[in-house]
Amino acid sequence: MSDRAPADQFLDAAIDLLRRVRDEEADSIAAAGTLLADTVENGGRLFAFGAGHSSLAAQDLVYRAGGLALMNLLAVPGVVGVDVMPAPLGSALERVDGLASAVLDNSPLRAGDALLIISLSGRNALPVEMALHARALGVRVIGVTSVAYASRTKSRHASGTYLRDHCDLVLDSKIAVGDAELSHDKVPAPFAPASTVVTSALLQAVMATTATTLADRGIEPPLLRSGNVDGGHDWNAQVMERYGDRIFYRH
C-alpha cells in the first residue's frame, strides 16, 4: 500500500472505474437508454432487480427524485437488501434453482416490459434463471454485471452459463473479481468495494439517456421531483395518477 491516504486511493480507484465505464460502455449505455425509452413509448413497464448489495443499485432507481416514475422494484423475498436474518440466508437463496421462475410467474411482468437485472458476479442461479425466464415471457432484459467473473469463476447455474449470456443488452461495471480496490501489507484481505458507487452511476447514466431520448422524441419523460422542494408532492401525484397502471410500488 502506498503512502497516499487510503481515502484518496479509494476515490481515485472509483474515479478510474467511472472513467472506464464512461469511455468503454458509451454505446451500451446509449442502447440501454434507447431500449427503455422504446419500452416507455410503447406502453411497457420498467422493473429492476438485484440481490444482496446489488439490490442497492436497483432500489436507487425506484421512487427516486429525478428518476423515472415507471421504474418498479422486482422483489424476491429474502434477497432484497441485507436485512434478512441471518444475513447468509440471502446469499444461499441466490443459489436456489426455481426461485426466479416462481417469482416471475407471480409478478406483474408481461411481454413488452423491460427488466434490469443487476448482479455483480452474474454466476448464481437466481440472476441467470431470471434472465432466461423473463426473456421466455417476452420481457427485454438488460444485465448489469462485471463480465470479468465469467472468465475467472465457475457458474452456479445448472447450464454453466452466466447472466451476461441471457440478456438483450449487457452493461459491464468493470469491477474486478472480489470487489475490493485496496490492499495493505498488514491487512489479510483486500478491502474497499466500489461496485455500489460504480453500478449506481452506470444506471443513472442509463436513466439520463432514457429521459433525454424520450424528450427528443417529443414525449415528456415521466420524472419524479423531490418531495422536499415546494410543489414536489403535487407534481409527483399528477405523474402517478397519469401512469398509475404502470406503477406498482403504490399498491
Side-chain angles (χ1 to χ4, degrees):
M1 192 168 182
S2 73
D3 294 332
R4 295 172 58 241
D8 290 344
Q9 292 184 60
F10 174 75
L11 291 171
D12 285 346
I15 290 168
D16 288 343
L17 285 164
L18 289 169
R19 285 178 174 145
R20 286 191 62 197
V21 166
R22 179 196 64 192
D23 297 340
E24 299 173 20
E25 295 299 299
D27 290 344
S28 296
I29 291 170
T34 299
L35 187 156
L36 296 182
D38 290 344
T39 303
V40 173
E41 183 176 7
N42 294 328
R45 293 87 59 79
L46 309 179
F47 295 84
F49 165 77
H53 285 91
S54 290
S55 73
L56 298 177
Q59 292 179 60
D60 188 51
L61 300 176
V62 179
Y63 189 54
R64 188 71 166 84
L68 291 170
L70 304 190
M71 185 62 70
N72 301 278
L73 185 68
L74 179 63
V76 176
V79 304
V80 178
V82 292
D83 57 344
V84 60
M85 294 294 289
L89 174 60
S91 298
L93 289 173
E94 292 184 58
R95 306 177 191 181
V96 174
D97 292 330
L99 178 58
S101 294
V103 168
L104 287 173
D105 287 343
N106 290 279
S107 77
L109 270 97
R110 65 188 184 194
D113 291 345
L115 171 62
L116 287 155
I117 301 177
I118 305 156
S119 173
L120 180 61
S121 73
R123 68 186 295 220
N124 288 311
L126 183 57
V128 175
E129 181 185 330
M130 184 169 288
L132 274 165
H133 196 61
R135 293 184 81 191
L137 294 173
V139 174
R140 303 292 300 279
V141 174
I142 299 173
V144 186
T145 187
S146 170
V147 300
Y149 276 82
S151 61
R152 296 187 55 190
T153 65
K154 182 179 179 181
S155 170
R156 290 176 174 147
H157 187 259
S159 67
T161 59
Y162 297 78
L163 169 62
R164 71 171 195 173
D165 299 316
H166 305 288
C167 300
D168 295 281
L169 287 170
V170 174
L171 299 171
D172 183 5
S173 64
K174 315 295 180 183
I175 300 296
V177 175
D179 191 17
E181 294 301 319
L182 302 184
S183 61
H184 191 287
D185 55 7
K186 295 183 179 179
V187 179
F191 56 99
S195 61
T196 302
V197 63
V198 174
T199 302
S200 292
L202 173 56
L203 286 167
Q204 291 300 344
V206 173
M207 296 302 109
T209 304
T210 302
T212 54
T213 299
L214 287 168
D216 289 343
R217 295 177 183 179
I219 301 169
E220 181 180 320
L223 297 171
L224 295 173
R225 293 187 176 183
S226 172
N228 296 313
V229 300
D230 292 343
H233 286 299
D234 291 339
W235 171 278
N236 293 341
Q238 292 175 14
V239 172
M240 290 183 186
E241 181 178 359
R242 180 178 178 184
Y243 294 96
D245 60 334
R246 297 154 78 177
I247 294 173
F248 297 93
Y249 49 81
R250 296 186 65 193
H251 304 299

